[in-house]
Amino acid sequence: MAVVAPCGPPDPERLARGVRVLEDLGLKVRVGPHVLERDRYLAGPDAARAADLRDAWCDPGVTAVFCARGGYGATRILGLLDWDAMRAAGPKAFVGSSDVTALHAALAAELGIASWFGPMPACSTISDPEGPEPRTFENFTAALAGTPPRITGDRVITAGTVTAPVTGGNLSLLAALCGTPYALSARGRIVLLEDVAEAPYRIDRMITQLFQAGALDGAAGFVLGSWVGCADPYPVLEELLGPLGVPVIAGLPIGHGKPQFSVLLGTLGVIDAESCSLAYSTGGAGTAL
């Protein structure tokens, strides 16, 4: 497997600890040559970050590509990736969250693959000095084996049950992708939304933008993850999503904060509001890392 840094610059010590965690699982890890470069708030120049991702994807010896961390930068490289070469290389597992939402959307559109929205090796849930956060790590290793467990939340906004492909990710990135070739299309899909350090009025603004762009038309249901540092977003979320009449569950540990569970975007998921949970339909999670 390979670790690349398509977004912000990872902390070298955190990255080294995270790589050791992956190696201790028996994975052979290759770190991209430009991962520790820095260009202002980016992990090196756009061309270098794109090259690391492209080269890892096109390497026949690499079966999975992990993003080192999030932080701004993924949208800047979408037009620099050699999609024809990556398509010819065939499908691989791909892992990342937060700003990596842009790459999940692009990989789905260009390559038609499912990908993991989950913890990254240079982030706190995996690379804290005392070791990975236990619940995150348990869920993460189950994802590695291709058997991710049911994820349970603590709040039902709208009751119901639905089975549909899962899409979405970080709300800020989904809003930023409006008007691009990789804009969210929620029709017939379960939409995952989460964010960090966004005031409720900003959450309101971004969801309203998605509605006005038509990105949320026909959504089959919503799974609301973590809202760390967002004060109380639920009055806004309930006001905007509740009237849609589709299942909406909240409080699932997905996105930021601890624990941080893994979700396979692009495969069939099941919202069960009675248990306030997201699971995979039979056979729907068959992409092991």
Side-chain angles (χ1 to χ4, degrees):
M1 60 151 291
V3 175
V4 299
C7 307
D11 176 86
E13 293 184 2
R14 278 199 176 277
L15 179 61
R17 287 196 297 266
V19 167
R20 285 196 297 271
V21 168
L22 296 176
E23 290 175 336
D24 288 344
L25 291 172
L27 300 173
K28 184 177 180 180
V29 182
R30 190 195 85 189
V31 178
H34 302 287
V35 163
L36 293 179
E37 290 188 15
R38 187 172 191 130
D39 180 6
R40 298 164 293 160
Y41 39 78
L42 303 167
D46 293 346
R49 300 192 330 277
D52 274 5
L53 175 53
R54 177 202 64 220
D55 292 348
W57 199 273
C58 293
D59 184 341
V62 171
T63 58
V65 178
F66 282 70
C67 296
R69 58 156 293 191
Y72 174 69
T75 54
R76 291 177 58 125
I77 70 168
L78 298 182
L80 301 178
L81 294 168
D82 187 340
W83 292 112
D84 288 338
M86 293 170 67
R87 195 174 297 112
K92 305 192 183 228
F94 180 77
V95 185
S97 54
S98 195
D99 201 79
V100 181
T101 295
L103 285 166
H104 287 297
L107 288 167
E110 297 286 354
L111 308 185
I113 66 163
S115 53
W116 289 97
F117 189 89
M120 299 170 283
C123 291
S124 62
T125 49
I126 297 295
S127 63
D128 270 355
E130 59 272 22
E133 195 280 323
R135 291 169 295 172
T136 298
F137 194 60
E138 180 182 7
N139 179 273
F140 180 70
T141 54
L144 286 174
T147 56
R150 179 187 303 268
I151 303 174
T152 302
D154 60 14
R155 181 185 299 242
V156 175
I157 293 175
T158 309
T161 301
V162 66
T163 301
V166 182
T167 189
N170 179 264
L171 174 59
S172 294
L173 268 294
L174 296 173
L177 290 171
C178 283
T180 76
Y182 308 114
L184 173 68
S185 176
R187 186 169 299 279
R189 295 176 178 268
I190 293 169
V191 181
L192 166 66
L193 297 176
E194 63 83 28
D195 220 315
V196 61
E198 296 288 357
Y201 80 90
R202 292 173 61 89
I203 294 169
D204 185 331
R205 183 178 69 194
M206 290 185 285
I207 293 178
T208 298
Q209 179 184 3
L210 292 174
F211 273 122
Q212 293 178 343
L216 298 180
D217 290 355
F222 290 85
V223 170
L224 305 180
S226 60
W227 303 92
V228 176
C230 295
D232 181 4
Y234 288 110
V236 166
L237 294 168
E238 291 173 0
E239 177 190 3
L240 296 178
L241 302 180
L244 298 180
V246 298
V248 182
I249 60 174
L252 286 76
I254 303 166
H256 294 80
K258 298 179 180 180
Q260 182 189 7
F261 289 174
S262 301
V263 173
L264 186 57
L265 302 176
T267 196
L268 287 175
V270 181
I271 292 177
D272 178 9
E274 185 174 351
S275 60
C276 192
S277 66
L278 172 69
Y280 294 100
S281 67
T282 302
T287 301
L289 296 176

